[in-house]
Amino acid sequence: MSIDLDRIRAAHERIRSFIRRTPVLTSERLNDASGASLFFKGENFQKIGAFKARGATNAVFSLDDAIAQRGVATHSSGNHGTALARAAKLRGIPAHIVMPSNSAKVKIRAVQSYGAQVVFCEPTEEARESTCAEVIKKTDATLVHSFENEDVIAGQGTAAMELLEEAADLDVLMCPVGGGGLLAGTAIAAKSMQPEIKVIAVEPANADDAAQSFRAGRRIVTEKKFTIADGLRTNVGEPNFAIIQRYVDDIVTVSEEAIVSAMRTIWETMKIIVEPSAAVPYAAILERVIDVNGRRVGIILTGGNVDLDALPWNPTR
Amino acid sequence: MSIDLDRIRAAHERIRSFIRRTPVLTSERLNDASGASLFFKGENFQKIGAFKARGATNAVFSLDDAIAQRGVATHSSGNHGTALARAAKLRGIPAHIVMPSNSAKVKIRAVQSYGAQVVFCEPTEEARESTCAEVIKKTDATLVHSFENEDVIAGQGTAAMELLEEAADLDVLMCPVGGGGLLAGTAIAAKSMQPEIKVIAVEPANADDAAQSFRAGRRIVTEKKFTIADGLRTNVGEPNFAIIQRYVDDIVTVSEEAIVSAMRTIWETMKIIVEPSAAVPYAAILERVIDVNGRRVGIILTGGNVDLDALPWNPTR
């Protein structure tokens, strides 16, 4: 089974009553500053504050009843855990979320608020995976990986689908890339709906494994460095990379300074709260690593979950 | 001449191509938390980032040509100055904005970006008024006061008009009160469109001259204390108070803590940026100084111009 536009449309039908059809936002000032016509898909206004609600909901509601009753499990320090907990609650099934012991308290509380069971582990990739495997062995729950999962990818593709329905004839569609769930779904939706569109992914230079992989033509796993765009530290997944190779036109990178500057510009100009990862595509426009002059450009603003006590322009943190 | 719904409708016709029809926002989580159905009018998304664009634009475009050519003038440390500068630029006439010498640089730059002439004065009410009078004497410009002006009041009333067109059958309409321009326009629009509606104004306890005046039945001018809701430090104007006495049902006050908490809650939950003054009505719901349980409540979110380097929950500032 593979992922195509029909499957993304089916995902949309499946999840539409559980998610928000988020607004497409424009800004005259950012259009003037960039020379482009920008169309921002506001997934910061999505349920649980991020696009992740789409994929997790699609995965949970795609399960057969008998399998669903055994519950779902994942490991996540971020929005996917919350999204899976919420989707499981909506379906009335158990959810087990493996979280690193150093996860932000607000994220732990968010997961627990949906009645999911939180299982803590050491904050390493190995511990996360092994603990999650143990939980699954014990509970017989189904793993819903945050990006290496076809239903998750199809669900994430619904954001681009909605955007292209509302903002037709885009020349370019941009989104950030971490594990590649959003990018894979976005690229399939966009190229299927509008074959001439250019799909450009943007990645922090400090976490540029997808850009490296794209240039090399093979998946390269890199050491994780710090990036303020913490949602993008993950290495791109294998099934994701295969889709990216087929459908994505380019992957460019941006500096940490540009990410912070883009985030602040979006806050001040558009009066909306977006997380650092969401600002990464606009950072590429700010740094002029891609030329958008005179073009109609879609940008997926991935989410708006930030710690207001630790903003990146606050010099004391 | 007095202000009625026809005049507010005429104002709306006059300014509609120059302002944004701002969205009406809802939040399931804030509905659950409050027990009410809340409808937020997002004037933080208005041109210049605040509802003030409405009144200033109406005042500027209400002037006869011969008078308009001589220009407009005002004194303002905040959004009205920017709004008047923008409106004057749109009409192609001069604007003179008297600003206290200690005004935030970002506000000075905003006014200048519209080509207005900035005249600095000492940061006292007396200096502002006398400097503005001098400018008017010298230039023959027309004073457009930020709230003691019928065209400004009628313009501000268009926000409530739009809100009531979209969210029908509200039981309560809430807005903050400073000088009373927004409140006067809001109250006239609301009571004219829907006589049974309750109009409730909210004021910081640290700047409670309007609440005191309302109780006493006469305008009381108080010493200014500090409030984080800096847009509301002004004493209520005379013509404004006359309208308020006639149309407003109650004026309640809120603590500084509740304002900060309401602002943060709106940011985190709704993913939008609102200024402290805009959070004042929701603060009254948080502090339960008004009972909204089971009711449909409109709230005007007045603006979104904040200094991101000096957020009120940042303990170092």
Side-chain angles (χ1 to χ4, degrees), chain A residues 62-194:
Chain A
S62 293
L63 297 173
D64 290 336
D65 276 343
I67 291 173
Q69 294 314 315
R70 302 202 299 258
V72 287
T74 200
H75 54 89
S76 166
S77 56
N79 293 323
H80 175 67
T82 315
L84 191 66
R86 175 177 177 271
K89 186 182 182 196
L90 286 168
R91 189 152 182 193
I93 63 174
H96 309 273
I97 313 294
V98 174
M99 301 185 78
S101 51
N102 63 353
S103 300
K105 282 208 183 79
V106 61
K107 303 236 163 155
I108 299 167
R109 276 199 301 270
V111 170
Q112 291 171 332
S113 76
Y114 292 110
Q117 195 208 348
V118 174
V119 183
F120 292 104
C121 69
E122 292 299 301
T124 67
E125 191 62 25
E126 295 69 31
R128 285 168 57 150
E129 289 182 9
S130 66
T131 307
C132 192
E134 282 167 34
V135 166
I136 287 169
K137 200 170 167 189
K138 202 156 48 183
T139 62
D140 217 15
T142 300
L143 173 67
V144 179
H145 192 275
S146 57
F147 50 87
E148 290 188 341
N149 177 303
E150 292 196 350
D151 294 312
V152 168
I153 292 170
Q156 318 302 30
T158 60
M161 194 194 104
E162 289 179 359
L163 172 56
L164 287 165
E165 284 173 356
E166 282 182 52
D169 297 324
L170 293 183
D171 302 305
V172 181
L173 184 52
M174 300 175 76
C175 76
V177 54
L182 177 69
L183 177 55
T186 297
I188 294 168
K191 289 288 188 178
S192 308
M193 292 173 75
Q194 208 179 298

Side-chain angles (χ1 to χ4, degrees), chain B residues 173-196:
Chain B
L173 183 52
M174 300 175 75
C175 76
V177 53
L182 178 69
L183 177 56
T186 297
I188 293 168
K191 290 288 189 177
S192 307
M193 291 174 74
Q194 208 179 299
E196 300 302 306

Side-chain angles (χ1 to χ4, degrees), chain B residues 99-151:
Chain B
M99 301 185 78
S101 51
N102 62 353
S103 299
K105 282 208 184 79
V106 61
K107 302 235 163 158
I108 298 168
R109 276 198 302 271
V111 170
Q112 290 171 333
S113 75
Y114 292 109
Q117 195 207 346
V118 175
V119 182
F120 292 104
C121 68
E122 292 299 301
T124 67
E125 191 61 26
E126 294 71 31
R128 285 168 57 151
E129 289 183 7
S130 65
T131 308
C132 192
E134 281 166 35
V135 166
I136 288 170
K137 199 170 168 188
K138 200 155 50 180
T139 62
D140 216 17
T142 300
L143 173 68
V144 179
H145 192 276
S146 58
F147 50 87
E148 291 188 340
N149 176 304
E150 291 196 350
D151 294 312

Side-chain angles (χ1 to χ4, degrees), chain A:
Chain A
M1 199 148 112
S2 73
I3 312 166
D4 58 14
L5 184 59
D6 282 347
R7 193 158 164 193
I8 293 170
R9 289 198 198 283
H12 197 249
E13 277 305 307
R14 192 175 291 118
I15 67 177
R16 61 188 302 174
S17 62
F18 304 117
I19 61 159
R20 192 171 281 169
R21 185 169 183 117
T22 54
V24 176
L25 309 168
T26 59
S27 162
E28 265 178 48
R29 276 169 62 192
L30 296 190
N31 286 351
D32 289 346
S34 66
S37 293
L38 306 177
F39 299 87
F40 295 93
K41 179 67 170 165
E43 288 295 297
N44 55 322
F45 296 119
Q46 187 51 268
K47 297 287 181 185
I48 72 107
F51 75 90
K52 298 270 187 181
R54 296 174 182 269
T57 306
N58 188 47
V60 164
F61 282 86
S62 293
L63 297 173
D64 290 336
D65 276 343
I67 291 173
Q69 294 314 315
R70 302 202 299 258
V72 287
T74 200
H75 54 89
S76 166
S77 56
N79 293 323
H80 175 67
T82 315
L84 191 66
R86 175 177 177 271
K89 186 182 182 196
L90 286 168
R91 189 152 182 193
I93 63 174
H96 309 273
I97 313 294
V98 174
M99 301 185 78
S101 51
N102 63 353
S103 300
K105 282 208 183 79
V106 61
K107 303 236 163 155
I108 299 167
R109 276 199 301 270
V111 170
Q112 291 171 332
S113 76
Y114 292 110
Q117 195 208 348
V118 174
V119 183
F120 292 104
C121 69
E122 292 299 301
T124 67
E125 191 62 25
E126 295 69 31
R128 285 168 57 150
E129 289 182 9
S130 66
T131 307
C132 192
E134 282 167 34
V135 166
I136 287 169
K137 200 170 167 189
K138 202 156 48 183
T139 62
D140 217 15
T142 300
L143 173 67
V144 179
H145 192 275
S146 57
F147 50 87
E148 290 188 341
N149 177 303
E150 292 196 350
D151 294 312
V152 168
I153 292 170
Q156 318 302 30
T158 60
M161 194 194 104
E162 289 179 359
L163 172 56
L164 287 165
E165 284 173 356
E166 282 182 52
D169 297 324
L170 293 183
D171 302 305
V172 181
L173 184 52
M174 300 175 76
C175 76
V177 54
L182 177 69
L183 177 55
T186 297
I188 294 168
K191 289 288 188 178
S192 308
M193 292 173 75
Q194 208 179 298
E196 301 301 308
I197 201 168
K198 299 289 177 207
V199 175
I200 312 282
V202 190
E203 200 173 33
N206 281 1
D208 68 344
D209 68 287
Q212 284 190 38
S213 302
F214 191 77
R215 306 247 172 280
R218 63 186 171 81
R219 182 164 166 268
I220 295 171
V221 170
T222 62
E223 280 294 305
K224 296 183 185 184
K225 279 185 245 170
F226 173 82
T227 169
I228 187 76
D230 57 354
L232 307 179
R233 278 176 215 165
T234 324
N235 280 291
V236 69
E238 287 198 17
N240 311 77
F241 184 61
I243 296 168
I244 289 165
Q245 280 190 294
R246 181 165 168 200
Y247 292 103
V248 172
D249 293 286
D250 203 0
I251 303 182
V252 298
T253 62
V254 290
S255 70
E256 294 296 299
E257 293 70 27
I259 298 170
V260 174
S261 175
M263 177 174 160
R264 185 164 180 152
T265 299
I266 292 169
W267 284 41
E268 291 186 331
T269 308
M270 299 180 70
K271 310 298 182 191
I272 61 173
I273 291 179
V274 297
E275 56 199 30
S277 301
V280 162
Y282 187 69
I285 294 177
L286 270 188
E287 281 197 326
R288 305 194 178 279
V289 294
I290 79 151
D291 177 20
V292 294
N293 196 41
R295 291 161 129 185
R296 292 167 61 84
V297 180
I299 293 175
I300 299 180
L301 294 175
T302 48
N305 293 330
V306 292
D307 179 354
L308 293 177
D309 288 320
L311 296 174
W313 48 78
N314 183 334
T316 66
R317 308 303 281 248

Side-chain angles (χ1 to χ4, degrees), chain B residues 245-264:
Chain B
Q245 279 190 296
R246 179 163 169 202
Y247 291 103
V248 171
D249 292 287
D250 203 0
I251 303 182
V252 298
T253 62
V254 291
S255 71
E256 294 296 299
E257 294 70 27
I259 297 170
V260 173
S261 176
M263 177 173 161
R264 184 161 180 153

